[in-house]
Amino acid sequence: MSEPIQVPVMADLMAKGEKPDILFWVGCAGSFDQRAQRITKAFARILHHTGIKFAVLGMEETCTGDPARRAGNEFLFQMQALTNIQTLNMYEVTKIVTTCPHCFNTLKNEYPELGGNYEVIHHTQLLQQLIDEGRIKLKEGGTFKGKRITYHDSCYLGRANQIYEAPRKVLELLDAELVEMKRCRTKGLCCGAGGAQMFKEDEPGRIHVNMERTEDVLQSNANVVAAACPFCNTMLTDGVKYHDKQDEIHVLDIAELIAQAADLGE
Amino acid sequence: MAVLVQQLLFLIVLGITGYLVSRKAREIYRNIRLGKPDDRTNEPGKRLRNMLLLAFGQKKMFQNLTPALLHLCVYVAFLITQIELIEIFVDGAFGTHRFFYPYLGGLYTFIISFIEILSVLAFVATIAFLSRRNLLKLPRFTMKELAGWPMLDANLILIGEIILIIGIFSMNTADMTLHHGEYGFAVSQWLMPLFAGFSDGTLHLLERFGWWLHILTVFGFLAYLPYSKHLHILLAFPNSYFADLTSPSGKITNMPRITQEINLMLNPSSVADAPPAAENERFGAKDVQDLSWKNLLDAYSCTECGRCTAACPANQTGKKLSPRKIMMDTRDRLEELGQHLNKNGQDVPDGKSLLHDYISPEELRACTTCNACVQECPVSINPLNIIIELRRYLILEEANSPDEWNKMFNNVEHSGAVWQLPADKRITWIQEIENG
Ligand code: SF4
Ligand code: SF4
């Protein structure tokens, strides 16, 4: 059991006449998927701990429409986008942070054309900023000392938005050994979830994409795979299980790594 | 007399080549314009920079040093040889011999020597490319989509390059031997012993043979270029100029017509302000005319190098999808449609389309939209854009979608979440964290 914390919901704040500095967009995975909920909680603890005035939309949040748009269902995407923009604009949201690179990309790059203009950052960017400002102190001794960590680039952070360094800068603080996989940064291999693949079986082929990617992980000899996307996380966790390595290799989000290293609880 | 005949022959071949090239160029221009409008004229400064870096400077090529250097040799040799071509044209048209030599003297020797050295480098590179393609069996050069014509195309050009170089050196060496080394060209002076002991007549014949071989290969190349993947030599320039300014990017192009439809649905009184959509305009793309002109220019610019496919996660794991094939299919279909238009004009449909006849739903559905293909392409092509447009047509016009996707769509539509879970489960984690 960890220490209970309060998670402010937008509608409640509004009723009290308050406004947060930043909206935490949780996303479908972060809200519903049991594994991803742990990432959401870790990040919420970090926000709480650093005293940032944040809020979530709670029941008023709905899918950004990313998978619908990429599957080709533009109609559904725009319905979602227009609904969400209405909610966000009603609350006069100006700044959004999200733990999902897909939500991040859609909110940041695709909502403006439909009338939603916000400053959108990914949680790894916020974490880097908080650490730079000294607002997160990591535990003495280093929880991850002696571990080998490798970072898996999410397509929607890396190639899609040129964010390669922030997650790595954060990991550098963990006092662990950082190793790169043979395919990284612009050459990073997809986990296989994007483009709405997450929601259907793979097309016929030789091997699943996540298993191919996990082979890169195995080759790197890392004991921790740091992910920055809940979908990559699921894909890599499955891949590690497929290779029967779940006892030796842990797939963790960067927010979870920092929450552990700063002793903020699960 | 002989000079006059040659002059005449030259002018005839020049005329025929000019006619063939300009006819095909106009056809390609018309084909590209079959695509939908897409304004790409903003920020000319940035575009010019992209063009200089990517097309002229070959920035992306240099991510992999050896092939980049080899390619650079052929490319620079190609560019610089154009200077020599000026003289060949003058000599050919006016029956002169090395027209610029008396005027330029030492500089002339320098320029031709430079070209000779580059030609040697290009020769080495061409041999390397030929062996890489035919002996090394690199996966990206042995895939199914290259079987037949594309493979032959690649080899023909490489062989043409070798013929061209043989032409240059037999011309220069014979000429040097005839003039006792007077010109002092850097490479051919070392080749002179090969021709030692030949009579003046033979040497003269060899010189002419080299000259004609050279220029006929060039003309042949020009006439052949528009049918070949080597069209990228020219189109890489406009293609990187008109490329997306941020590339790759996670942003997918918007469909304002859908926004219009939704607004109409939500607010029927806005009917009056909405401009009516063109009758036959489809949602997404079924055929090449439904794509943008830039997609079509992309297709003509593709070098068929396969860097995109080698990086594609779907292709690497054995799925049918290959972004290179997407580009080759688009070009082949566009050429087919162009031929049809030449014969039958605008009004007779040929009953074929890019989707289904060339590209299958299975290929399209394997894409993870990871942008690796866009990242890798050395000439700024965006295969993902075409994939998305075709996917849009499948879903919006054919309602052709895997069941699992239909379920996901349904969930999003009805409970606002990708999984089938009640909306109030969205805050379970909050309740849990607040209870510690
Ligand atoms: S975006 Fe699609 S086609 Fe391009 S590399 Fe990724 S999976 Fe392959
Ligand atoms: S699309 Fe680009 S990377 Fe792919 S084959 Fe064509 S030129 Fe090469």
Side-chain angles (χ1 to χ4, degrees):
Chain A
M1 279 284 132
S2 308
E3 183 199 337
I5 64 160
Q6 285 297 308
V7 176
V9 176
M10 204 65 172
D12 301 341
L13 281 193
M14 188 79 153
K16 284 191 275 180
E18 285 176 35
K19 246 183 94 177
D21 293 331
I22 195 162
L23 177 83
F24 171 22
W25 184 277
V26 185
C28 291
S31 307
F32 295 104
D33 180 86
Q34 288 198 345
R35 174 67 191 85
Q37 282 173 349
R38 303 219 305 268
I39 304 171
T40 309
K41 288 177 186 169
F43 186 59
R45 286 188 184 282
I46 295 171
L47 289 173
H48 176 81
H49 170 78
T50 49
I52 292 176
K53 267 193 87 177
F54 77 103
V56 298
L57 284 177
M59 301 263 289
E60 286 183 283
E61 189 184 292
T62 72
C63 173
T64 57
D66 157 272
R69 177 170 245 194
R70 276 146 193 86
N73 195 338
E74 182 71 6
F75 197 82
L76 182 56
F77 162 73
Q78 290 204 13
M79 289 295 279
Q80 289 305 113
L82 294 170
T83 316
N84 283 323
I85 289 169
Q86 210 170 37
T87 313
L88 291 166
N89 289 353
M90 177 183 77
Y91 288 123
E92 295 175 1
V93 170
T94 52
K95 194 168 176 183
I96 303 176
V97 63
T98 171
T99 43
C100 174
H102 296 267
C103 297
F104 168 73
N105 177 67
T106 307
L107 291 165
K108 179 175 188 277
N109 299 323
E110 297 181 346
Y111 277 22
E113 270 173 330
L114 297 165
N117 292 287
Y118 322 102
E119 182 191 344
V120 187
I121 57 171
H122 185 249
H123 74 305
T124 55
Q125 294 175 299
L126 184 65
L127 287 174
Q128 188 199 351
Q129 195 188 325
L130 291 170
I131 292 170
D132 285 352
E133 290 168 0
R135 291 167 75 182
I136 302 178
K137 290 268 180 301
L138 303 187
K139 216 166 33 175
E140 290 292 314
T143 321
F144 296 97
K145 212 178 181 102
K147 294 255 195 254
R148 273 166 83 92
I149 303 185
T150 191
Y151 171 66
H152 165 80
D153 284 281
S154 143
C155 303
Y156 274 82
L157 271 195
R159 281 186 293 267
N161 286 289
Q162 281 77 45
I163 298 172
Y164 297 106
E165 297 312 322
R168 289 181 166 81
K169 286 265 158 56
V170 174
L171 291 173
E172 275 169 19
L173 293 157
L174 291 176
D175 204 16
E177 186 192 350
L178 291 186
V179 289
E180 291 288 0
M181 286 184 260
K182 67 170 196 258
R183 298 182 259 201
C184 61
R185 293 195 165 84
T186 57
K187 306 242 180 229
L189 182 70
C190 175
C191 72
Q197 296 296 332
M198 183 74 190
F199 306 101
K200 68 169 186 55
E201 274 304 308
D202 270 26
E203 298 306 311
R206 180 176 55 81
I207 186 179
H208 290 294
V209 179
N210 60 334
M211 293 168 189
E212 170 94 3
R213 183 50 164 171
T214 312
E215 282 170 14
D216 292 355
V217 174
L218 299 185
Q219 271 179 29
S220 76
N221 276 324
N223 358 67
V224 175
V225 189
C229 168
F231 295 105
C232 296
N233 195 311
T234 303
M235 282 301 195
L236 293 169
T237 306
D238 287 351
V240 168
K241 270 196 208 128
Y242 169 82
H243 289 280
D244 206 17
K245 293 276 185 217
Q246 64 274 25
D247 296 328
E248 293 124 81
I249 303 173
H250 298 279
V251 183
L252 290 166
D253 191 89
I254 293 189
E256 294 177 296
L257 289 166
I258 293 298
Q260 278 185 34
D263 211 7
L264 299 179
E266 301 273 309
Chain B
M1 181 57 203
V3 176
L4 211 64
V5 172
Q6 288 192 40
Q7 248 178 296
L8 207 68
L9 261 175
F10 177 84
L11 290 173
I12 292 171
V13 183
L14 177 69
I16 295 174
T17 314
Y19 169 73
L20 291 176
V21 169
S22 68
R23 195 182 62 173
K24 188 65 190 169
R26 275 198 311 263
E27 189 181 312
I28 289 177
Y29 182 73
R30 179 209 59 194
N31 288 355
I32 291 174
R33 302 246 317 210
L34 292 174
K36 292 206 282 200
D38 178 5
D39 185 12
R40 287 170 178 267
T41 50
N42 61 331
E43 304 207 44
K46 211 167 159 195
R47 291 184 181 282
L48 206 63
R49 218 183 125 240
N50 277 351
M51 185 174 87
L52 289 177
L53 275 175
L54 287 159
F56 201 68
Q58 317 213 323
K59 182 172 143 207
K60 287 247 176 111
M61 288 294 288
F62 272 90
Q63 289 177 358
N64 200 345
L65 201 61
T66 316
L69 284 175
L70 292 173
H71 182 264
L72 189 74
C73 291
V74 180
Y75 170 65
V76 175
F78 173 82
L79 281 185
I80 305 290
T81 312
Q82 306 315 312
I83 304 177
E84 194 194 19
L85 220 52
I86 302 173
E87 184 178 57
I88 297 232
F89 270 78
V90 175
D91 286 349
F94 300 106
T96 49
H97 180 72
R98 296 201 183 269
F99 179 82
F100 293 111
Y101 179 61
Y103 303 101
L104 298 177
L107 181 63
Y108 185 89
T109 303
F110 175 78
I111 293 174
I112 302 292
S113 296
F114 193 55
I115 291 172
E116 284 197 347
I117 292 168
L118 284 170
S119 302
V120 172
L121 290 175
F123 185 76
V124 173
T126 309
I127 298 289
F129 281 146
L130 270 171
S131 11
R132 178 176 69 162
R133 218 168 249 279
N134 297 289
L135 302 175
L136 273 187
K137 304 275 174 237
L138 272 192
R140 74 179 159 107
F141 291 136
T142 51
M143 281 176 195
K144 210 169 60 217
E145 68 232 32
L146 288 194
W149 160 246
M151 188 69 182
L152 183 65
D153 175 24
N155 281 329
L156 275 179
I157 291 283
L158 290 170
I159 292 166
E161 181 78 29
I162 289 182
I163 294 178
L164 186 74
I165 293 169
I166 293 176
I168 292 180
F169 282 115
S170 24
M171 170 178 90
N172 285 356
T173 311
D175 212 11
M176 284 276 283
T177 318
L178 268 174
H179 294 83
H180 312 292
E182 177 197 327
Y183 301 117
F185 300 148
V187 178
S188 42
Q189 59 176 292
W190 300 101
L191 298 175
M192 279 163 60
L194 288 178
F195 289 1
F198 287 3
S199 71
D200 275 11
T202 317
L203 285 173
H204 193 73
L205 222 65
L206 273 170
E207 191 272 340
R208 283 292 88 193
F209 165 77
W211 190 91
W212 276 102
L213 194 63
H214 183 176
I215 194 63
L216 286 177
T217 319
V218 169
F219 282 153
F221 184 73
L222 280 177
Y224 172 69
L225 195 64
Y227 300 91
S228 157
K229 70 172 187 124
H230 286 80
L231 193 51
H232 78 267
I233 294 177
L234 302 174
L235 294 189
F237 289 88
N239 208 51
S240 44
Y241 183 87
F242 291 116
D244 298 330
L245 285 168
T246 17
S247 173
S249 156
K251 182 175 174 292
I252 283 177
T253 44
N254 198 26
M255 291 178 73
R257 274 180 56 225
I258 296 268
T259 324
Q260 233 178 59
E261 296 247 332
I262 294 178
N263 284 336
L264 270 176
M265 227 174 60
L266 301 176
N267 181 12
S269 64
S270 63
V271 178
D273 337 317
E279 187 87 351
N280 54 1
E281 211 183 315
R282 298 161 170 154
F283 286 128
K286 179 186 188 192
D287 205 356
V288 282
Q289 315 95 298
D290 308 324
L291 295 167
S292 81
W293 67 266
K294 177 57 170 65
N295 294 142
L296 304 184
L297 178 62
D298 272 358
Y300 275 121
S301 309
C302 177
T303 74
E304 295 172 17
C305 70
R307 285 176 173 77
C308 51
T309 296
C312 172
N315 193 277
Q316 288 179 70
T317 55
K319 318 292 187 299
K320 265 196 191 155
L321 173 65
S322 158
R324 167 172 58 189
K325 178 178 172 290
I326 299 284
M327 301 318 300
M328 292 169 68
D329 285 345
T330 305
R331 178 173 176 169
D332 289 348
R333 168 60 191 151
L334 184 55
E335 279 286 299
E336 182 190 54
L337 182 70
Q339 294 302 323
H340 175 79
L341 289 178
N342 291 348
K343 286 198 205 93
N344 307 289
Q346 283 282 355
D347 305 318
V348 196
D350 71 346
K352 287 200 189 163
S353 60
L354 179 62
L355 182 61
H356 301 305
D357 289 321
Y358 286 77
I359 301 173
S360 65
E362 179 182 334
E363 290 164 69
L364 298 170
R365 284 192 195 129
C367 175
T368 71
T369 68
C370 74
N371 261 307
C373 50
V374 186
Q375 176 83 45
E376 286 304 306
C377 181
V379 289
S380 316
I381 288 169
N382 189 335
L384 176 55
N385 205 300
I386 297 180
I387 293 172
I388 295 280
E389 288 304 323
L390 295 169
R391 274 188 175 187
R392 281 174 166 169
Y393 184 85
L394 278 178
I395 303 271
L396 298 171
E397 299 274 6
E398 287 187 356
N400 181 347
S401 158
D403 281 349
E404 299 135 294
W405 272 2
N406 285 334
K407 283 197 194 103
M408 183 261 289
F409 296 155
N410 241 310
N411 297 335
V412 172
E413 199 178 330
H414 294 111
S415 63
V418 284
W419 293 289
Q420 193 184 9
L421 290 162
D424 59 0
K425 283 267 187 294
R426 203 175 263 283
I427 52 169
T428 311
W429 72 272
I430 303 182
Q431 291 153 356
E432 285 171 7
I433 207 172
E434 290 189 341
N435 292 325

